[in-house]
Amino acid sequence: MEEDNVIQGYRAILNRKKIGLGVMVFIRVTIDSHSEIEAKKFEQEVSELENVVSCYSIGGDADFLLQVVSHDLDSYADFAMSVIRRLPGIKEMQSMFVLKEIKPLVSYPVAKINSFLD
């Protein structure tokens, strides 16, 4: 499975709260321009931000969905206003705060993995 690039790596799963990241936020971002150049510029800058733990290009009424972690609400507010708001092409952003993690991502369903590899 490693040779077929099904397994892309091995990692430890950390308890974010125990390492001081008590706040998790999803941010819906809409950008001004939908040119490929502007989108790539946004993607590149977001990829370099440590507090952004995942970023997805999405369909619907927003363009991107960012998952962000922070120490506390004050540090998130500083990060959102001084970093995220300053990213190229930001037209609108909406923060959605995680109140409780019910089923965080730890792996993908693998029940049909054998049929995939056949």
Side-chain angles (χ1 to χ4, degrees):
M1 291 197 305
E2 289 170 336
E3 290 175 8
D4 291 332
N5 206 25
V6 174
I7 295 175
Q8 295 183 333
Y10 299 90
R11 61 188 66 97
I13 299 171
L14 303 176
N15 181 321
R16 71 175 169 83
K17 291 179 183 176
K18 290 190 177 188
I19 60 170
L21 299 171
V23 173
M24 182 184 296
V25 183
F26 288 91
I27 306 173
R28 290 179 42 227
V29 173
T30 305
I31 58 175
D32 280 330
S33 171
H34 290 94
S35 75
E36 187 173 340
I37 293 170
E38 289 298 317
K40 290 290 183 196
K41 187 187 240 184
F42 177 85
E43 291 170 14
Q44 182 180 2
E45 291 205 25
V46 164
S47 296
E48 295 171 8
L49 299 175
E50 187 175 273
N51 288 61
V52 177
V53 294
S54 63
C55 175
Y56 304 94
S57 174
I58 60 173
D61 60 351
D63 300 306
F64 295 94
L65 181 65
L66 284 56
Q67 184 178 8
V68 174
V69 292
S70 191
H71 296 289
D72 55 31
L73 287 175
D74 289 337
S75 63
Y76 170 74
D78 290 343
F79 178 74
M81 299 313 288
S82 64
V83 177
I84 299 294
R85 279 257 186 234
R86 306 281 185 261
L87 290 172
I90 292 267
K91 177 180 178 182
E92 181 181 327
M93 64 181 266
Q94 179 187 18
S95 298
M96 297 171 286
F97 295 89
V98 173
L99 300 177
K100 179 180 177 182
E101 283 183 89
I102 296 165
K103 185 178 178 181
L105 174 68
V106 290
S107 73
Y108 296 106
V110 293
K112 299 189 181 241
I113 197 164
N114 288 331
S115 63
F116 172 76
L117 294 175
D118 290 339

